[in-house]
Coordinates of all heavy atoms in Angstrom, one line a residue:
V25 N -97.7 11.3 -143.4 CA -98.5 11.0 -144.6 C -99.8 10.3 -144.3 O -100.9 10.5 -144.8 CB -97.6 10.1 -145.5 CG1 -98.4 9.5 -146.7 CG2 -96.5 10.8 -146.0
A26 N -99.8 9.3 -143.3 CA -100.9 8.5 -143.1 C -101.5 8.6 -141.7 O -102.5 7.9 -141.4 CB -100.6 7.0 -143.3
G27 N -101.0 9.4 -140.8 CA -101.5 9.6 -139.5 C -101.2 8.5 -138.5 O -101.5 8.6 -137.3
I28 N -100.5 7.5 -139.0 CA -100.2 6.3 -138.2 C -99.0 6.5 -137.3 O -97.9 6.9 -137.7 CB -99.9 5.1 -139.1 CG1 -101.2 4.8 -140.0 CG2 -99.6 3.8 -138.4 CD1 -101.0 3.8 -141.1
L74 N -96.4 1.9 -147.2 CA -97.5 1.9 -146.4 C -98.3 0.5 -146.5 O -98.8 0.0 -145.5 CB -98.5 3.1 -146.8 CG -97.9 4.5 -146.5 CD1 -98.8 5.5 -147.1 CD2 -97.7 4.7 -145.0
S78 N -98.8 -1.6 -143.0 CA -100.2 -1.5 -142.4 C -100.6 -2.8 -141.8 O -100.3 -3.8 -142.3 CB -101.2 -0.9 -143.4 OG -101.2 -1.7 -144.5
T79 N -101.4 -2.7 -140.8 CA -102.0 -3.8 -140.1 C -103.4 -4.0 -140.6 O -104.2 -3.1 -140.4 CB -102.0 -3.6 -138.5 OG1 -100.7 -3.3 -138.2 CG2 -102.4 -4.8 -137.8
N80 N -103.8 -5.2 -141.1 CA -105.0 -5.3 -141.9 C -105.9 -6.4 -141.3 O -106.8 -6.8 -142.0 CB -104.7 -5.7 -143.3 CG -103.7 -4.7 -143.9 OD1 -102.5 -5.1 -144.3 ND2 -104.0 -3.5 -144.1
L81 N -105.7 -6.7 -140.0 CA -106.6 -7.7 -139.4 C -108.0 -7.4 -139.5 O -108.5 -6.3 -139.1 CB -106.2 -7.8 -137.9 CG -106.9 -8.9 -137.2 CD1 -106.3 -10.3 -137.5 CD2 -106.8 -8.7 -135.7
T82 N -108.8 -8.3 -140.0 CA -110.3 -8.1 -140.1 C -111.0 -9.5 -140.3 O -110.3 -10.5 -140.3 CB -110.6 -7.2 -141.3 OG1 -112.0 -6.9 -141.3 CG2 -110.2 -7.9 -142.7
S83 N -112.3 -9.5 -140.2 CA -113.0 -10.8 -140.4 C -114.5 -10.5 -140.8 O -114.9 -9.3 -140.5 CB -112.9 -11.6 -139.2 OG -113.4 -11.0 -138.1
R86 N -117.2 -9.3 -137.9 CA -116.4 -8.8 -136.7 C -117.2 -7.8 -135.9 O -117.9 -7.0 -136.5 CB -115.1 -8.2 -137.3 CG -114.2 -7.7 -136.2 CD -113.0 -7.0 -136.8 NE -111.9 -6.9 -135.8 CZ -110.8 -6.3 -136.0 NH1 -110.5 -5.7 -137.2 NH2 -109.8 -6.2 -135.1
E87 N -117.1 -7.9 -134.6 CA -117.9 -7.1 -133.7 C -119.3 -7.1 -134.1 O -119.9 -6.1 -134.5 CB -117.3 -5.7 -133.6 CG -115.9 -5.7 -133.1 CD -115.1 -4.4 -133.2 OE1 -115.7 -3.4 -133.1 OE2 -113.8 -4.5 -133.2
S113 N -117.4 2.2 -145.6 CA -116.5 1.4 -144.7 C -115.1 2.1 -144.9 O -114.5 1.9 -145.9 CB -116.5 0.0 -145.2 OG -115.4 -0.7 -144.6
A114 N -114.8 2.9 -143.9 CA -113.5 3.7 -144.0 C -112.4 2.9 -143.3 O -112.4 2.8 -142.1 CB -113.7 5.1 -143.4
G115 N -111.4 2.5 -144.1 CA -110.4 1.5 -143.5 C -111.0 0.1 -143.6 O -111.1 -0.6 -142.7
C116 N -111.3 -0.3 -144.9 CA -112.1 -1.5 -145.1 C -111.2 -2.7 -145.1 O -111.7 -3.9 -145.2 CB -112.9 -1.4 -146.4 SG -111.8 -1.3 -147.8
S117 N -109.9 -2.6 -145.1 CA -109.0 -3.7 -145.3 C -109.3 -4.6 -146.5 O -109.7 -4.1 -147.5 CB -108.9 -4.5 -144.0 OG -107.9 -5.5 -144.0
S118 N -109.4 -5.9 -146.3 CA -109.6 -6.8 -147.4 C -111.1 -7.0 -147.8 O -111.4 -8.0 -148.5 CB -108.9 -8.1 -147.2 OG -108.9 -8.5 -145.9
E120 N -114.0 -7.6 -145.8 CA -114.9 -8.4 -145.0 C -116.0 -7.5 -144.4 O -117.1 -7.8 -144.3 CB -114.2 -9.2 -144.0 CG -113.4 -10.4 -144.6 CD -112.0 -10.1 -145.0 OE1 -111.7 -8.9 -145.3 OE2 -111.1 -11.0 -144.9
E121 N -115.5 -6.3 -143.9 CA -116.5 -5.4 -143.2 C -117.6 -4.9 -144.2 O -118.7 -4.9 -143.9 CB -115.7 -4.2 -142.6 CG -116.6 -3.2 -141.9 CD -115.7 -2.1 -141.3 OE1 -115.2 -2.3 -140.1 OE2 -115.4 -1.1 -141.9
T146 N -113.2 2.0 -148.6 CA -111.9 2.6 -148.9 C -110.8 2.2 -148.0 O -111.1 1.9 -146.8 CB -111.9 4.1 -148.9 OG1 -112.3 4.6 -147.6 CG2 -113.0 4.7 -149.9
D147 N -109.5 2.2 -148.4 CA -108.4 1.9 -147.6 C -107.2 2.5 -148.2 O -107.1 2.9 -149.4 CB -108.2 0.4 -147.5 CG -107.4 0.0 -146.3 OD1 -106.1 0.1 -146.3 OD2 -108.0 -0.4 -145.2
L148 N -106.2 2.6 -147.3 CA -104.9 3.2 -147.8 C -104.1 2.1 -148.6 O -103.3 2.5 -149.4 CB -104.1 3.4 -146.4 CG -102.7 4.0 -146.4 CD1 -102.8 5.5 -146.9 CD2 -102.2 4.0 -145.0
S149 N -104.3 0.9 -148.3 CA -103.4 -0.2 -148.8 C -104.0 -0.8 -150.1 O -105.1 -1.4 -150.1 CB -103.2 -1.3 -147.8 OG -102.8 -2.4 -148.4
V152 N -104.5 -4.8 -149.9 CA -105.8 -5.3 -149.4 C -106.9 -5.0 -150.3 O -107.9 -5.8 -150.4 CB -106.1 -4.9 -147.9 CG1 -105.1 -5.6 -147.0 CG2 -106.0 -3.4 -147.7
L204 N -108.2 5.4 -150.6 CA -108.3 6.7 -150.0 C -107.5 6.8 -148.7 O -107.7 6.0 -147.8 CB -109.8 7.1 -149.7 CG -110.1 8.4 -149.2 CD1 -109.8 9.5 -150.2 CD2 -111.5 8.6 -148.7
N205 N -106.6 7.8 -148.7 CA -105.9 8.0 -147.4 C -106.8 9.0 -146.6 O -107.1 10.1 -147.0 CB -104.5 8.7 -147.8 CG -103.7 9.0 -146.6 OD1 -104.2 8.9 -145.4 ND2 -102.5 9.3 -146.8
L206 N -107.2 8.5 -145.4 CA -108.1 9.3 -144.6 C -107.5 10.7 -144.2 O -108.2 11.6 -143.8 CB -108.5 8.6 -143.4 CG -109.4 7.3 -143.6 CD1 -109.6 6.5 -142.3 CD2 -110.8 7.8 -144.1
M207 N -106.2 10.8 -144.3 CA -105.5 12.1 -143.9 C -105.6 13.1 -145.1 O -105.3 14.3 -144.8 CB -104.0 11.8 -143.6 CG -103.8 10.9 -142.4 SD -104.6 11.6 -140.9 CE -105.8 10.4 -140.6
F220 N -118.7 3.3 -141.1 CA -118.0 2.3 -140.3 C -116.5 2.7 -140.3 O -115.9 2.7 -141.4 CB -118.1 0.9 -140.8 CG -119.4 0.2 -140.4 CD1 -120.6 0.7 -140.7 CD2 -119.3 -0.9 -139.6 CE1 -121.8 0.1 -140.3 CE2 -120.5 -1.6 -139.2 CZ -121.7 -1.1 -139.5
C221 N -115.9 3.1 -139.2 CA -114.5 3.3 -139.2 C -114.0 2.6 -137.9 O -113.8 3.2 -136.8 CB -114.1 4.8 -139.2 SG -112.3 5.1 -139.3
R222 N -113.8 1.3 -138.1 CA -113.5 0.5 -136.9 C -112.1 0.0 -137.0 O -111.6 -0.5 -138.0 CB -114.5 -0.7 -136.9 CG -116.0 -0.2 -137.0 CD -117.0 -1.3 -136.9 NE -116.7 -2.5 -137.7 CZ -117.3 -3.6 -137.6 NH1 -118.1 -3.8 -136.6 NH2 -117.0 -4.6 -138.4
N223 N -111.4 0.1 -135.8 CA -110.1 -0.4 -135.7 C -109.1 0.2 -136.6 O -108.2 -0.4 -137.1 CB -110.1 -2.0 -135.8 CG -111.1 -2.6 -134.9 OD1 -111.0 -2.5 -133.7 ND2 -112.1 -3.3 -135.5
V224 N -109.3 1.5 -136.9 CA -108.4 2.3 -137.7 C -107.8 3.4 -136.9 O -106.6 3.6 -136.9 CB -109.2 2.9 -138.9 CG1 -108.3 3.8 -139.8 CG2 -109.9 1.8 -139.8
I226 N -107.3 3.6 -133.8 CA -106.3 3.1 -132.8 C -104.9 3.5 -133.2 O -104.0 3.6 -132.3 CB -106.3 1.6 -132.5 CG1 -106.8 0.8 -133.7 CG2 -107.1 1.3 -131.3 CD1 -106.6 -0.6 -133.6
Y227 N -104.6 3.6 -134.5 CA -103.2 3.9 -135.0 C -103.0 5.4 -134.9 O -101.9 5.8 -135.2 CB -103.0 3.3 -136.3 CG -103.4 1.9 -136.4 CD1 -104.5 1.4 -137.0 CD2 -102.5 1.0 -135.7 CE1 -104.8 0.0 -137.0 CE2 -102.8 -0.4 -135.7 CZ -103.9 -0.9 -136.4 OH -104.2 -2.2 -136.4
F228 N -104.0 6.3 -134.6 CA -103.8 7.7 -134.8 C -103.7 8.3 -133.4 O -104.3 7.8 -132.4 CB -105.0 8.3 -135.5 CG -105.3 7.8 -136.9 CD1 -106.5 7.8 -137.5 CD2 -104.2 7.1 -137.6 CE1 -106.8 7.3 -138.7 CE2 -104.5 6.6 -138.9 CZ -105.8 6.7 -139.4
G253 N -114.4 1.1 -133.5 CA -114.0 -0.3 -133.0 C -114.2 -0.4 -131.6 O -114.3 0.6 -130.8
Ligands
SAM1 C1 -107.1 -3.3 -138.6 S1 -107.7 -2.9 -140.1 C2 -109.4 -2.7 -139.8 C3 -110.3 -3.3 -140.8 C4 -111.8 -3.2 -140.6 N1 -112.3 -1.8 -140.4 C5 -112.2 -4.0 -139.3 O1 -112.5 -3.4 -138.3 O2 -112.2 -5.2 -139.4 C6 -107.2 -1.2 -140.3 C7 -107.2 -0.7 -141.7 O3 -107.0 0.7 -141.7 C8 -106.2 1.1 -142.8 N2 -105.6 2.5 -142.6 C9 -104.7 2.8 -141.7 N3 -104.4 4.1 -141.9 C10 -105.2 4.6 -142.8 C11 -105.3 5.9 -143.5 N4 -104.6 6.9 -143.1 N5 -106.2 6.0 -144.5 C12 -106.9 4.9 -144.9 N6 -106.9 3.7 -144.3 C13 -106.0 3.5 -143.3 C14 -105.2 0.0 -142.9 O4 -104.6 -0.1 -144.2 C15 -106.0 -1.2 -142.5 O5 -106.5 -1.9 -143.7

Side-chain angles (χ1 to χ4, degrees):
V25 173
I28 299 170
L74 295 172
S78 58
T79 305
N80 309 112
L81 184 76
T82 188
S83 58
R86 184 180 193 185
E87 298 174 27
S113 166
C116 64
S117 188
S118 37
E120 288 88 332
E121 179 176 273
T146 62
D147 202 279
L148 182 65
S149 162
V152 288
L204 182 69
N205 181 349
L206 291 169
M207 296 303 112
F220 277 63
C221 186
R222 308 186 308 166
N223 309 299
V224 179
I226 28 169
Y227 304 109
F228 305 155

